[in-house]
Amino acid sequence: MKKIVVAIDGFSSCGKSTMAKQLAKQVGYIYVDTGAMYRAVGLFGLQNGIITKNNIDEQKLAEKIYNLKIYFKNINGVQHVFLNDVDVESKIRTLETGDAASRVSAVAFVRKALVAQQQKMGENKGVVLDGRDIGTVVFPDAELKIFVTASAEVRAQRRFDELVQKGENPDYEEVLKNITERDYRDTHRVESPLRQASDALLLDNSFLTKEQQYKKILEWFKYKTQ
Ligand code: DC
């Protein structure tokens, strides 16, 4: 079976990472959660006063970005992201860090640095990456490109349920607002805006169960690797 690059792009909170992880595990590929890398940079910015409510100190961030050590490690079967050798997996999953990630992801030099790392991670193929620009910028020649979408309301409800499960006490309207703001920023930024690559397969999972969705992806994967 031929080894390929699988690029999964789409809006936030539409289940990209769940399906990417599941596929990578089943077919024995490496999984790269590129959103986690932007989140790690966002967290670094928040922790070091580089990102504040109304500002990003781009000069300071530019000085630091190439020295940031961001990598993944498997801990008891779960992939965790490390920032400068500290496990930040749970810290990067908050709304605040998601927001900071969305803001730093619009900065050209941040994207340049992370894209280069992602391309290195996938240079030998046999990799599933999920993000916003994988099929358009990181691996424009990926053999299988999937663009995932679902309505903002469905995604907000999923995110809300996730936060409740984590013991947080979210406000649905706030979660929905956060999602629509991120959608707007992700699709309107100048640098690599989120868009469907012309050769990407569209997957709207608003009304699909996880099983139905996974069956579809697996069929596409088998077709592309034959
Ligand atoms: O997928 P996520 O929610 O973990 O991503 C966090 C933020 O990073 C999101 O607002 C968009 C941005 N991002 C990006 O611009 N490019 C990627 N390849 C992955 C994520």
Side-chain angles (χ1 to χ4, degrees), residues 34-35 38-39 101-102 105 111 131-134 182 186 189:
T34 63
Y38 287 93
R39 284 171 182 267
S102 170
S105 70
R111 301 205 71 84
R132 303 294 188 286
D133 59 342
I134 311 302
R182 279 172 59 187
D186 290 349
R189 66 180 177 224

Side-chain angles (χ1 to χ4, degrees), residues 11-13 95 99 150-161 163 170-185:
F11 289 95
S12 59
S13 303
L95 283 180
D99 191 63
S151 76
E153 288 75 17
V154 166
R155 287 182 286 131
Q157 188 61 51
R158 289 178 187 158
R159 183 84 188 113
F160 176 88
D161 295 342
L163 291 168
D171 173 54
Y172 173 81
E173 291 305 325
E174 199 192 315
V175 175
L176 179 61
K177 185 166 164 271
N178 183 278
I179 283 195
T180 39
E181 279 173 4
R182 279 172 59 187
D183 284 358
Y184 185 85
R185 267 206 297 267

